Amino acid sequence: MDRILIVGTGALANLFGARLSEAGFQVVMLGTWEEGLVALREHGIRLESPEGVRRYKVQVATGPEALEGIRYALVLVKSWQTARAARQLSEALAQDGIALSLQNGLGNRETLAGELGEMRAAQGVTTTGATLLGPAHVRPGGEGIISVGDHPRLPPLVDALRTSGFEVETVADVNALIWKKLLINVAINPLTAILGVPNGRLLESDAARKLMALAVQEVEEVAEAYGIALGFDDPLALAEKVAKKTAKNRSSMLQDISRGAPTEIDAICGAVYRAGRDQGVSTPVNHTLTLLVKSLVDLKGKNR
Protein backbone atom coordinates (compact mmCIF):
# COMPACT_ATOMS: atom_id res chain seq x y z
CA MET A 1 0.00 0.00 0.00
CA ASP A 2 1.00 3.70 -0.07
CA ARG A 3 3.08 5.33 2.65
CA ILE A 4 1.50 5.56 6.08
CA LEU A 5 1.88 8.91 7.80
CA ILE A 6 1.97 9.03 11.59
CA VAL A 7 1.32 12.49 13.00
CA GLY A 8 3.11 12.59 16.34
CA THR A 9 6.38 11.47 17.93
CA GLY A 10 5.19 10.38 21.36
CA ALA A 11 4.83 6.94 22.94
CA LEU A 12 1.98 5.54 20.86
CA ALA A 13 3.25 7.17 17.67
CA ASN A 14 6.58 5.39 18.10
CA LEU A 15 4.93 2.08 18.99
CA PHE A 16 2.70 2.19 15.91
CA GLY A 17 5.61 3.33 13.75
CA ALA A 18 7.82 0.46 14.90
CA ARG A 19 5.20 -2.23 14.36
CA LEU A 20 4.12 -0.95 10.96
CA SER A 21 7.76 -0.67 9.88
CA GLU A 22 8.48 -4.19 11.13
CA ALA A 23 5.58 -5.46 9.02
CA GLY A 24 7.17 -3.93 5.94
CA PHE A 25 5.17 -0.73 5.54
CA GLN A 26 6.81 2.57 4.59
CA VAL A 27 6.27 4.84 7.60
CA VAL A 28 6.66 8.62 7.73
CA MET A 29 6.68 10.37 11.12
CA LEU A 30 5.56 14.02 11.23
CA GLY A 31 6.26 16.02 14.37
CA THR A 32 7.62 19.14 16.01
CA TRP A 33 9.60 17.72 18.95
CA GLU A 34 13.16 18.41 17.88
CA GLU A 35 14.85 15.84 20.14
CA GLY A 36 12.46 13.18 18.95
CA LEU A 37 12.98 14.03 15.30
CA VAL A 38 16.77 13.98 15.67
CA ALA A 39 16.63 10.58 17.38
CA LEU A 40 14.35 9.22 14.66
CA ARG A 41 16.74 10.38 11.94
CA GLU A 42 19.87 9.11 13.64
CA HIS A 43 18.71 5.85 15.23
CA GLY A 44 15.20 5.10 14.04
CA ILE A 45 12.61 3.95 16.56
CA ARG A 46 14.03 1.93 19.44
CA LEU A 47 11.48 -0.60 20.66
CA GLU A 48 12.19 -2.06 24.10
CA SER A 49 11.15 -5.63 24.92
CA PRO A 50 12.20 -8.43 27.30
CA GLU A 51 14.33 -9.78 24.44
CA GLY A 52 16.22 -6.50 24.08
CA VAL A 53 16.03 -3.39 21.91
CA ARG A 54 15.18 -3.47 18.22
CA ARG A 55 15.52 -0.51 15.87
CA TYR A 56 13.19 0.41 13.02
CA LYS A 57 13.98 2.93 10.32
CA VAL A 58 11.30 5.43 9.37
CA GLN A 59 11.17 8.59 7.30
CA VAL A 60 10.98 11.88 9.18
CA ALA A 61 9.15 15.09 8.27
CA THR A 62 8.96 18.43 10.06
CA GLY A 63 6.19 19.84 7.87
CA PRO A 64 3.67 18.88 5.20
CA GLU A 65 5.69 20.25 2.27
CA ALA A 66 7.18 16.90 1.14
CA LEU A 67 4.13 14.81 2.01
CA GLU A 68 1.61 15.83 -0.62
CA GLY A 69 -0.55 12.94 -1.78
CA ILE A 70 -0.43 10.86 1.41
CA ARG A 71 -3.53 8.64 1.44
CA TYR A 72 -3.37 7.13 4.94
CA ALA A 73 -2.60 8.96 8.17
CA LEU A 74 -2.78 8.03 11.85
CA VAL A 75 -3.23 11.02 14.15
CA LEU A 76 -1.52 10.34 17.49
CA VAL A 77 -0.74 13.80 18.81
CA LYS A 78 -2.09 15.19 22.08
CA SER A 79 -5.59 16.65 21.87
CA TRP A 80 -4.29 20.20 22.32
CA GLN A 81 -2.17 19.70 19.17
CA THR A 82 -5.03 18.49 16.97
CA ALA A 83 -5.76 21.85 15.33
CA ARG A 84 -2.14 22.15 14.17
CA ALA A 85 -2.17 18.56 12.91
CA ALA A 86 -5.36 19.24 10.98
CA ARG A 87 -3.80 22.24 9.23
CA GLN A 88 -0.75 20.17 8.28
CA LEU A 89 -2.91 17.35 6.99
CA SER A 90 -4.96 19.76 4.91
CA GLU A 91 -1.78 20.32 2.86
CA ALA A 92 -0.53 16.73 2.82
CA LEU A 93 -3.54 14.43 2.62
CA ALA A 94 -4.78 13.32 -0.80
CA GLN A 95 -8.35 14.19 -1.75
CA ASP A 96 -9.22 10.50 -1.55
CA GLY A 97 -7.18 10.04 1.64
CA ILE A 98 -8.23 9.34 5.22
CA ALA A 99 -6.89 10.50 8.59
CA LEU A 100 -7.74 8.22 11.51
CA SER A 101 -7.69 9.77 14.98
CA LEU A 102 -6.70 7.37 17.76
CA GLN A 103 -6.40 10.17 20.30
CA ASN A 104 -7.74 10.64 23.79
CA GLY A 105 -10.60 12.96 24.63
CA LEU A 106 -13.58 14.53 22.89
CA GLY A 107 -13.67 16.63 19.73
CA ASN A 108 -10.58 15.46 17.85
CA ARG A 109 -12.38 14.02 14.82
CA GLU A 110 -14.55 17.13 14.60
CA THR A 111 -11.44 19.32 14.56
CA LEU A 112 -9.92 17.20 11.79
CA ALA A 113 -13.16 17.21 9.79
CA GLY A 114 -13.34 20.99 10.08
CA GLU A 115 -10.11 21.25 8.05
CA LEU A 116 -10.27 18.08 5.95
CA GLY A 117 -13.98 17.50 5.38
CA GLU A 118 -16.10 14.66 6.71
CA MET A 119 -14.93 12.08 4.16
CA ARG A 120 -11.24 12.51 5.08
CA ALA A 121 -11.61 12.20 8.87
CA ALA A 122 -12.34 9.01 10.83
CA GLN A 123 -12.61 8.17 14.51
CA GLY A 124 -11.03 5.34 16.42
CA VAL A 125 -9.83 4.56 19.93
CA THR A 126 -7.28 2.20 21.36
CA THR A 127 -6.56 0.79 24.79
CA THR A 128 -3.04 -0.18 23.75
CA GLY A 129 -0.46 1.30 26.12
CA ALA A 130 3.12 2.45 25.69
CA THR A 131 5.75 4.29 27.72
CA LEU A 132 8.19 6.73 26.17
CA LEU A 133 11.61 6.01 27.69
CA GLY A 134 13.34 8.79 25.76
CA PRO A 135 13.30 10.41 22.32
CA ALA A 136 12.20 7.73 19.80
CA HIS A 137 12.62 5.06 22.51
CA VAL A 138 9.44 3.25 23.52
CA ARG A 139 8.34 0.27 25.61
CA PRO A 140 4.96 -1.41 25.00
CA GLY A 141 2.68 -1.03 28.00
CA GLY A 142 -0.01 -3.64 27.47
CA GLU A 143 -1.89 -4.98 24.48
CA GLY A 144 -5.30 -3.53 23.74
CA ILE A 145 -7.91 -3.33 21.02
CA ILE A 146 -8.18 -0.70 18.31
CA SER A 147 -11.85 0.12 17.67
CA VAL A 148 -12.74 2.18 14.62
CA GLY A 149 -15.92 3.63 13.24
CA ASP A 150 -17.26 2.33 9.96
CA HIS A 151 -15.78 4.36 7.07
CA PRO A 152 -15.46 3.36 3.39
CA ARG A 153 -11.83 4.50 3.13
CA LEU A 154 -10.53 2.69 6.21
CA PRO A 155 -10.25 -1.00 5.15
CA PRO A 156 -6.70 -0.77 3.68
CA LEU A 157 -5.44 0.97 6.82
CA VAL A 158 -7.25 -1.53 9.06
CA ASP A 159 -5.63 -4.36 7.10
CA ALA A 160 -2.21 -2.76 7.57
CA LEU A 161 -2.75 -2.48 11.33
CA ARG A 162 -3.84 -6.10 11.57
CA THR A 163 -0.84 -7.21 9.52
CA SER A 164 1.31 -5.32 12.04
CA GLY A 165 -0.04 -7.35 14.95
CA PHE A 166 -2.78 -5.05 16.24
CA GLU A 167 -6.26 -6.32 17.10
CA VAL A 168 -8.77 -4.14 15.25
CA GLU A 169 -12.57 -4.13 15.36
CA THR A 170 -15.08 -2.02 13.43
CA VAL A 171 -18.07 -0.69 15.35
CA ALA A 172 -21.24 0.97 14.16
CA ASP A 173 -21.74 3.52 16.97
CA VAL A 174 -18.85 5.98 16.96
CA ASN A 175 -20.29 8.08 19.79
CA ALA A 176 -20.37 5.11 22.14
CA LEU A 177 -16.80 4.34 21.03
CA ILE A 178 -15.58 7.80 22.00
CA TRP A 179 -17.35 7.85 25.36
CA LYS A 180 -16.14 4.35 26.20
CA LYS A 181 -12.52 5.47 25.79
CA LEU A 182 -13.26 8.72 27.62
CA LEU A 183 -14.57 6.70 30.55
CA ILE A 184 -11.37 4.65 30.69
CA ASN A 185 -9.22 7.78 30.44
CA VAL A 186 -11.18 9.52 33.20
CA ALA A 187 -10.74 6.53 35.50
CA ILE A 188 -7.01 6.05 34.95
CA ASN A 189 -5.14 9.04 33.58
CA PRO A 190 -5.72 11.83 36.12
CA LEU A 191 -5.30 9.62 39.17
CA THR A 192 -2.07 8.06 37.93
CA ALA A 193 -0.78 11.55 37.13
CA ILE A 194 -1.73 12.97 40.54
CA LEU A 195 -0.50 9.96 42.53
CA GLY A 196 2.59 9.37 40.37
CA VAL A 197 1.96 5.65 39.94
CA PRO A 198 1.62 3.21 37.01
CA ASN A 199 -1.87 2.09 36.05
CA GLY A 200 -2.01 -1.13 38.05
CA ARG A 201 -1.20 0.53 41.37
CA LEU A 202 -4.62 2.22 41.37
CA LEU A 203 -6.20 -1.17 41.99
CA GLU A 204 -4.18 -1.62 45.19
CA SER A 205 -5.96 1.27 46.94
CA ASP A 206 -9.59 1.17 48.05
CA ALA A 207 -9.64 4.96 48.10
CA ALA A 208 -8.28 5.21 44.55
CA ARG A 209 -10.82 2.68 43.33
CA LYS A 210 -13.59 4.71 45.00
CA LEU A 211 -12.42 7.82 43.15
CA MET A 212 -12.33 5.83 39.92
CA ALA A 213 -15.91 4.71 40.56
CA LEU A 214 -17.15 8.25 41.25
CA ALA A 215 -15.45 9.71 38.18
CA VAL A 216 -16.81 6.92 35.97
CA GLN A 217 -20.32 7.35 37.38
CA GLU A 218 -20.28 10.99 36.30
CA VAL A 219 -19.28 9.99 32.75
CA GLU A 220 -22.20 7.54 32.68
CA GLU A 221 -24.63 10.23 33.83
CA VAL A 222 -23.43 12.77 31.25
CA ALA A 223 -23.49 10.21 28.43
CA GLU A 224 -27.04 9.25 29.44
CA ALA A 225 -28.06 12.91 29.33
CA TYR A 226 -26.83 13.00 25.71
CA GLY A 227 -28.73 9.82 24.90
CA ILE A 228 -25.55 7.80 24.38
CA ALA A 229 -25.72 4.10 25.29
CA LEU A 230 -22.30 2.94 26.45
CA GLY A 231 -23.20 -0.67 25.75
CA PHE A 232 -21.93 -2.45 28.85
CA ASP A 233 -23.35 -3.16 32.29
CA ASP A 234 -20.36 -2.36 34.50
CA PRO A 235 -18.21 0.55 33.23
CA LEU A 236 -16.01 0.55 36.34
CA ALA A 237 -15.16 -3.11 35.77
CA LEU A 238 -14.11 -2.22 32.23
CA ALA A 239 -11.81 0.56 33.47
CA GLU A 240 -10.31 -1.70 36.12
CA LYS A 241 -9.77 -4.43 33.51
CA VAL A 242 -7.79 -1.99 31.35
CA ALA A 243 -5.79 -0.82 34.39
CA LYS A 244 -4.93 -4.44 35.19
CA LYS A 245 -4.07 -5.27 31.58
CA THR A 246 -1.75 -2.23 31.37
CA ALA A 247 -0.59 -2.52 35.00
CA LYS A 248 3.05 -1.58 34.38
CA ASN A 249 2.25 1.24 31.98
CA ARG A 250 2.75 4.87 32.97
CA SER A 251 -0.28 6.66 31.57
CA SER A 252 0.26 9.34 28.97
CA MET A 253 -0.85 11.98 31.48
CA LEU A 254 1.67 10.78 34.06
CA GLN A 255 4.38 10.88 31.39
CA ASP A 256 3.34 14.45 30.50
CA ILE A 257 3.42 15.56 34.14
CA SER A 258 6.82 13.91 34.68
CA ARG A 259 8.44 15.94 31.92
CA GLY A 260 6.56 19.17 32.61
CA ALA A 261 4.55 19.02 29.38
CA PRO A 262 0.94 20.12 28.83
CA THR A 263 -1.61 17.39 29.52
CA GLU A 264 -4.89 16.39 27.88
CA ILE A 265 -6.91 17.00 31.03
CA ASP A 266 -9.12 19.60 29.31
CA ALA A 267 -10.14 17.05 26.65
CA ILE A 268 -10.78 14.33 29.25
CA CYS A 269 -12.07 15.31 32.70
CA GLY A 270 -12.50 18.91 31.58
CA ALA A 271 -14.64 17.75 28.66
CA VAL A 272 -16.85 15.73 31.02
CA TYR A 273 -17.27 18.78 33.26
CA ARG A 274 -18.20 21.06 30.33
CA ALA A 275 -20.56 18.51 28.78
CA GLY A 276 -22.20 17.96 32.16
CA ARG A 277 -22.61 21.68 32.70
CA ASP A 278 -24.29 21.98 29.28
CA GLN A 279 -26.72 19.17 30.20
CA GLY A 280 -27.34 20.26 33.77
CA VAL A 281 -25.47 17.25 35.20
CA SER A 282 -23.21 17.84 38.20
CA THR A 283 -19.66 16.46 37.81
CA PRO A 284 -17.73 17.60 40.90
CA VAL A 285 -15.17 14.77 40.82
CA ASN A 286 -14.17 15.38 37.21
CA HIS A 287 -14.02 19.13 37.88
CA THR A 288 -11.79 18.56 40.91
CA LEU A 289 -9.50 16.17 39.00
CA THR A 290 -9.19 18.79 36.24
CA LEU A 291 -8.13 21.47 38.71
CA LEU A 292 -5.70 19.15 40.51
CA VAL A 293 -3.92 18.15 37.30
CA LYS A 294 -3.77 21.77 36.15
CA SER A 295 -2.30 22.71 39.53
CA LEU A 296 0.37 20.02 39.11
CA VAL A 297 1.28 21.39 35.68
CA ASP A 298 1.45 24.97 37.01
CA LEU A 299 3.65 24.06 39.97
CA LYS A 300 5.87 21.77 37.91
CA GLY A 301 6.54 24.67 35.55
CA LYS A 302 7.37 27.05 38.38
CA ASN A 303 9.79 24.57 39.94
CA ARG A 304 11.78 24.01 36.75
mmCIF file of all heavy atoms in Angstrom, residues 276-300:
data_model
loop_
_atom_site.group_PDB
_atom_site.id
_atom_site.type_symbol
_atom_site.label_atom_id
_atom_site.label_comp_id
_atom_site.label_asym_id
_atom_site.label_seq_id
_atom_site.Cartn_x
_atom_site.Cartn_y
_atom_site.Cartn_z
ATOM 1 N N GLY A 276 -21.239 18.054 31.079
ATOM 2 C CA GLY A 276 -22.203 17.955 32.164
ATOM 3 C C GLY A 276 -22.868 19.288 32.459
ATOM 4 O O GLY A 276 -24.092 19.363 32.660
ATOM 5 N N ARG A 277 -22.063 20.337 32.461
ATOM 6 C CA ARG A 277 -22.611 21.682 32.697
ATOM 7 C C ARG A 277 -23.650 22.034 31.632
ATOM 8 O O ARG A 277 -24.706 22.590 31.928
ATOM 9 C CB ARG A 277 -21.465 22.697 32.673
ATOM 10 C CG ARG A 277 -21.863 24.140 32.948
ATOM 11 C CD ARG A 277 -20.657 25.053 32.747
ATOM 12 N NE ARG A 277 -20.135 24.920 31.387
ATOM 13 C CZ ARG A 277 -18.920 25.328 31.015
ATOM 14 N NH1 ARG A 277 -18.095 25.874 31.902
ATOM 15 N NH2 ARG A 277 -18.528 25.183 29.766
ATOM 16 N N ASP A 278 -23.354 21.676 30.369
ATOM 17 C CA ASP A 278 -24.291 21.982 29.284
ATOM 18 C C ASP A 278 -25.601 21.206 29.421
ATOM 19 O O ASP A 278 -26.651 21.673 28.965
ATOM 20 C CB ASP A 278 -23.649 21.650 27.930
ATOM 21 C CG ASP A 278 -22.493 22.580 27.592
ATOM 22 O OD1 ASP A 278 -22.372 23.635 28.239
ATOM 23 O OD2 ASP A 278 -21.711 22.235 26.680
ATOM 24 N N GLN A 279 -25.532 20.019 30.047
ATOM 25 C CA GLN A 279 -26.717 19.173 30.196
ATOM 26 C C GLN A 279 -27.345 19.276 31.582
ATOM 27 O O GLN A 279 -28.312 18.573 31.878
ATOM 28 C CB GLN A 279 -26.340 17.714 29.922
ATOM 29 C CG GLN A 279 -25.964 17.437 28.481
ATOM 30 C CD GLN A 279 -27.141 17.603 27.540
ATOM 31 O OE1 GLN A 279 -28.253 17.189 27.844
ATOM 32 N NE2 GLN A 279 -26.910 18.216 26.387
ATOM 33 N N GLY A 280 -26.800 20.124 32.432
ATOM 34 C CA GLY A 280 -27.335 20.265 33.773
ATOM 35 C C GLY A 280 -27.015 19.090 34.675
ATOM 36 O O GLY A 280 -27.757 18.808 35.627
ATOM 37 N N VAL A 281 -25.896 18.396 34.396
ATOM 38 C CA VAL A 281 -25.469 17.250 35.196
ATOM 39 C C VAL A 281 -24.245 17.649 36.022
ATOM 40 O O VAL A 281 -23.248 18.131 35.473
ATOM 41 C CB VAL A 281 -25.118 16.043 34.307
ATOM 42 C CG1 VAL A 281 -24.618 14.881 35.161
ATOM 43 C CG2 VAL A 281 -26.331 15.618 33.490
ATOM 44 N N SER A 282 -24.312 17.465 37.323
ATOM 45 C CA SER A 282 -23.211 17.840 38.203
ATOM 46 C C SER A 282 -22.066 16.827 38.085
ATOM 47 O O SER A 282 -22.288 15.612 38.132
ATOM 48 C CB SER A 282 -23.706 17.894 39.646
ATOM 49 O OG SER A 282 -22.655 18.218 40.529
ATOM 50 N N THR A 283 -20.833 17.334 37.934
ATOM 51 C CA THR A 283 -19.662 16.458 37.808
ATOM 52 C C THR A 283 -18.524 16.979 38.702
ATOM 53 O O THR A 283 -17.440 17.327 38.225
ATOM 54 C CB THR A 283 -19.176 16.391 36.348
ATOM 55 O OG1 THR A 283 -18.878 17.710 35.884
ATOM 56 C CG2 THR A 283 -20.224 15.767 35.438
ATOM 57 N N PRO A 284 -18.727 17.018 40.007
ATOM 58 C CA PRO A 284 -17.727 17.599 40.904
ATOM 59 C C PRO A 284 -16.400 16.843 40.925
ATOM 60 O O PRO A 284 -15.341 17.456 41.095
ATOM 61 C CB PRO A 284 -18.411 17.563 42.269
ATOM 62 C CG PRO A 284 -19.438 16.476 42.154
ATOM 63 C CD PRO A 284 -19.916 16.547 40.744
ATOM 64 N N VAL A 285 -16.424 15.529 40.764
ATOM 65 C CA VAL A 285 -15.171 14.765 40.815
ATOM 66 C C VAL A 285 -14.313 15.069 39.585
ATOM 67 O O VAL A 285 -13.110 15.316 39.705
ATOM 68 C CB VAL A 285 -15.460 13.253 40.923
ATOM 69 C CG1 VAL A 285 -14.160 12.455 40.838
ATOM 70 C CG2 VAL A 285 -16.176 12.952 42.232
ATOM 71 N N ASN A 286 -14.927 15.069 38.417
ATOM 72 C CA ASN A 286 -14.166 15.383 37.208
ATOM 73 C C ASN A 286 -13.665 16.830 37.216
ATOM 74 O O ASN A 286 -12.553 17.106 36.748
ATOM 75 C CB ASN A 286 -15.010 15.115 35.958
ATOM 76 C CG ASN A 286 -14.986 13.659 35.560
ATOM 77 O OD1 ASN A 286 -14.086 13.209 34.863
ATOM 78 N ND2 ASN A 286 -15.975 12.909 36.020
ATOM 79 N N HIS A 287 -14.469 17.741 37.771
ATOM 80 C CA HIS A 287 -14.024 19.130 37.876
ATOM 81 C C HIS A 287 -12.822 19.231 38.815
ATOM 82 O O HIS A 287 -11.831 19.909 38.519
ATOM 83 C CB HIS A 287 -15.173 19.996 38.391
ATOM 84 C CG HIS A 287 -14.897 21.462 38.279
ATOM 85 N ND1 HIS A 287 -15.577 22.406 39.011
ATOM 86 C CD2 HIS A 287 -14.005 22.161 37.525
ATOM 87 C CE1 HIS A 287 -15.131 23.604 38.717
ATOM 88 N NE2 HIS A 287 -14.176 23.487 37.823
ATOM 89 N N THR A 288 -12.899 18.530 39.946
ATOM 90 C CA THR A 288 -11.792 18.561 40.908
ATOM 91 C C THR A 288 -10.528 17.936 40.318
ATOM 92 O O THR A 288 -9.423 18.474 40.492
ATOM 93 C CB THR A 288 -12.194 17.822 42.191
ATOM 94 O OG1 THR A 288 -13.336 18.469 42.770
ATOM 95 C CG2 THR A 288 -11.050 17.817 43.199
ATOM 96 N N LEU A 289 -10.666 16.810 39.629
ATOM 97 C CA LEU A 289 -9.502 16.169 39.002
ATOM 98 C C LEU A 289 -8.868 17.094 37.969
ATOM 99 O O LEU A 289 -7.640 17.170 37.852
ATOM 100 C CB LEU A 289 -9.917 14.851 38.349
ATOM 101 C CG LEU A 289 -10.301 13.713 39.305
ATOM 102 C CD1 LEU A 289 -10.852 12.530 38.526
ATOM 103 C CD2 LEU A 289 -9.112 13.283 40.157
ATOM 104 N N THR A 290 -9.708 17.821 37.225
ATOM 105 C CA THR A 290 -9.187 18.789 36.241
ATOM 106 C C THR A 290 -8.339 19.848 36.930
ATOM 107 O O THR A 290 -7.215 20.153 36.494
ATOM 108 C CB THR A 290 -10.353 19.463 35.486
ATOM 109 O OG1 THR A 290 -11.138 18.475 34.828
ATOM 110 C CG2 THR A 290 -9.828 20.454 34.452
ATOM 111 N N LEU A 291 -8.856 20.415 38.005
ATOM 112 C CA LEU A 291 -8.133 21.474 38.712
ATOM 113 C C LEU A 291 -6.861 20.942 39.361
ATOM 114 O O LEU A 291 -5.827 21.634 39.383
ATOM 115 C CB LEU A 291 -9.047 22.105 39.761
ATOM 116 C CG LEU A 291 -10.267 22.855 39.209
ATOM 117 C CD1 LEU A 291 -11.155 23.340 40.351
ATOM 118 C CD2 LEU A 291 -9.839 24.026 38.329
ATOM 119 N N LEU A 292 -6.889 19.734 39.881
ATOM 120 C CA LEU A 292 -5.695 19.152 40.507
ATOM 121 C C LEU A 292 -4.584 18.930 39.479
ATOM 122 O O LEU A 292 -3.421 19.250 39.737
ATOM 123 C CB LEU A 292 -6.055 17.831 41.193
ATOM 124 C CG LEU A 292 -6.778 17.935 42.539
ATOM 125 C CD1 LEU A 292 -7.279 16.570 42.984
ATOM 126 C CD2 LEU A 292 -5.852 18.532 43.601
ATOM 127 N N VAL A 293 -4.944 18.380 38.331
ATOM 128 C CA VAL A 293 -3.922 18.148 37.301
ATOM 129 C C VAL A 293 -3.372 19.476 36.787
ATOM 130 O O VAL A 293 -2.162 19.629 36.590
ATOM 131 C CB VAL A 293 -4.489 17.297 36.152
ATOM 132 C CG1 VAL A 293 -3.504 17.248 34.984
ATOM 133 C CG2 VAL A 293 -4.792 15.884 36.636
ATOM 134 N N LYS A 294 -4.241 20.456 36.591
ATOM 135 C CA LYS A 294 -3.772 21.773 36.153
ATOM 136 C C LYS A 294 -2.853 22.399 37.199
ATOM 137 O O LYS A 294 -1.857 23.054 36.858
ATOM 138 C CB LYS A 294 -4.959 22.690 35.865
ATOM 139 C CG LYS A 294 -5.696 22.356 34.585
ATOM 140 C CD LYS A 294 -6.737 23.416 34.275
ATOM 141 C CE LYS A 294 -7.307 23.210 32.891
ATOM 142 N NZ LYS A 294 -8.219 24.288 32.489
ATOM 143 N N SER A 295 -3.168 22.196 38.470
ATOM 144 C CA SER A 295 -2.303 22.708 39.534
ATOM 145 C C SER A 295 -0.928 22.045 39.479
ATOM 146 O O SER A 295 0.106 22.709 39.652
ATOM 147 C CB SER A 295 -2.941 22.442 40.899
ATOM 148 O OG SER A 295 -4.183 23.090 41.029
ATOM 149 N N LEU A 296 -0.908 20.736 39.236
ATOM 150 C CA LEU A 296 0.371 20.020 39.107
ATOM 151 C C LEU A 296 1.202 20.589 37.971
ATOM 152 O O LEU A 296 2.415 20.796 38.109
ATOM 153 C CB LEU A 296 0.113 18.530 38.856
ATOM 154 C CG LEU A 296 -0.054 17.622 40.062
ATOM 155 C CD1 LEU A 296 -0.403 16.216 39.600
ATOM 156 C CD2 LEU A 296 1.221 17.594 40.897
ATOM 157 N N VAL A 297 0.564 20.834 36.837
ATOM 158 C CA VAL A 297 1.278 21.394 35.685
ATOM 159 C C VAL A 297 1.836 22.772 36.021
ATOM 160 O O VAL A 297 2.992 23.084 35.730
ATOM 161 C CB VAL A 297 0.348 21.470 34.453
ATOM 162 C CG1 VAL A 297 1.030 22.207 33.306
ATOM 163 C CG2 VAL A 297 -0.049 20.072 34.003
ATOM 164 N N ASP A 298 1.004 23.613 36.652
ATOM 165 C CA ASP A 298 1.451 24.970 37.010
ATOM 166 C C ASP A 298 2.658 24.925 37.942
ATOM 167 O O ASP A 298 3.654 25.629 37.739
ATOM 168 C CB ASP A 298 0.312 25.735 37.698
ATOM 169 C CG ASP A 298 -0.814 26.102 36.751
ATOM 170 O OD1 ASP A 298 -0.585 26.041 35.523
ATOM 171 O OD2 ASP A 298 -1.903 26.439 37.239
ATOM 172 N N LEU A 299 2.578 24.116 38.981
ATOM 173 C CA LEU A 299 3.648 24.063 39.969
ATOM 174 C C LEU A 299 4.902 23.403 39.416
ATOM 175 O O LEU A 299 6.016 23.788 39.759
ATOM 176 C CB LEU A 299 3.153 23.332 41.214
ATOM 177 C CG LEU A 299 2.007 24.029 41.960
ATOM 178 C CD1 LEU A 299 1.522 23.172 43.103
ATOM 179 C CD2 LEU A 299 2.461 25.400 42.473
ATOM 180 N N LYS A 300 4.725 22.408 38.550
ATOM 181 C CA LYS A 300 5.868 21.769 37.907
ATOM 182 C C LYS A 300 6.638 22.792 37.093
ATOM 183 O O LYS A 300 7.858 22.851 37.117
ATOM 184 C CB LYS A 300 5.393 20.628 37.012
ATOM 185 C CG LYS A 300 6.504 19.788 36.413
ATOM 186 C CD LYS A 300 6.931 18.696 37.346
ATOM 187 C CE LYS A 300 7.907 17.745 36.691
ATOM 188 N NZ LYS A 300 8.358 16.678 37.582
#
